[in-house]
Amino acid sequence: DQYETGYRKHAWTEIQGLRTVEFNKGPIDSLGISIAGGVGSPLGDVPIFIAMMQPNGVAAQTQKLRVGDRIVSICGKPTEDLTHSQAVSILKGASGHIELQVVAGGDVSVITSQQQEHTAATTLSLSGLTASSI
């Protein structure tokens, strides 16, 4: 169905709570985040989200990203069909002006609900997750 395909392709632009975070990153700078999720991840096909942040990294310095935020797009490229490795490659290879579209971490609560019952959202337990530092 053409309408459904068109809608799915652009559905990420209409997500409630979507926010855009822009920053500049030099070719050797570290974003200072670890991401988890992606198509075929150990958690299943779950959205890519920020699992950890380094306080001195480029991402943390924006003061607009949080642990648990789901990354919806990277420089305009939707992440919904990316594997974990593809997302890592895009983020590691990006430099200059970078634009991330993210949704607050409430959307990953289903994925990490067991861990969040016992911990605050900012201290997600990463047992069983494969997270990659970027």
Side-chain angles (χ1 to χ4, degrees):
D1 186 322
Q2 234 176 357
Y3 172 77
E4 213 169 293
T5 304
Y7 178 76
R8 280 202 60 199
K9 187 175 181 185
H10 300 290
W12 60 275
T13 62
E14 298 172 12
I15 295 170
Q16 188 171 8
L18 187 71
R19 62 189 199 278
T20 301
V21 179
E22 299 179 60
F23 50 88
N24 289 306
K25 174 184 169 278
I28 59 168
D29 291 339
S30 170
L31 282 180
I33 63 173
S34 293
I35 61 169
V39 174
S41 81
L43 296 171
D45 294 348
V46 298
I48 292 166
F49 64 95
I50 298 174
M52 289 189 294
M53 287 182 69
Q54 300 294 329
N56 58 348
V58 172
Q61 290 172 4
T62 68
Q63 299 184 351
K64 294 179 181 174
L65 294 168
R66 302 279 179 265
V67 169
D69 281 353
R70 180 165 62 94
I71 301 174
V72 177
S73 73
I74 305 164
C75 298
K77 180 173 179 51
T79 60
E80 64 185 348
D81 295 324
L82 295 180
T83 65
H84 181 81
S85 299
Q86 288 171 323
V88 169
S89 294
I90 292 168
L91 286 166
K92 281 192 173 185
S95 64
H97 181 79
I98 297 174
E99 181 181 288
L100 296 181
Q101 289 193 304
V102 298
V103 176
D107 285 357
V108 298
S109 61
V110 173
I111 300 157
T112 56
S113 60
Q114 290 179 331
Q115 288 89 354
Q116 285 190 7
E117 285 172 13
H118 304 291
T119 61
T122 53
T123 56
L124 288 175
S125 168
L126 295 178
S127 59
L129 298 187
T130 301
S132 296
S133 295
I134 300 164

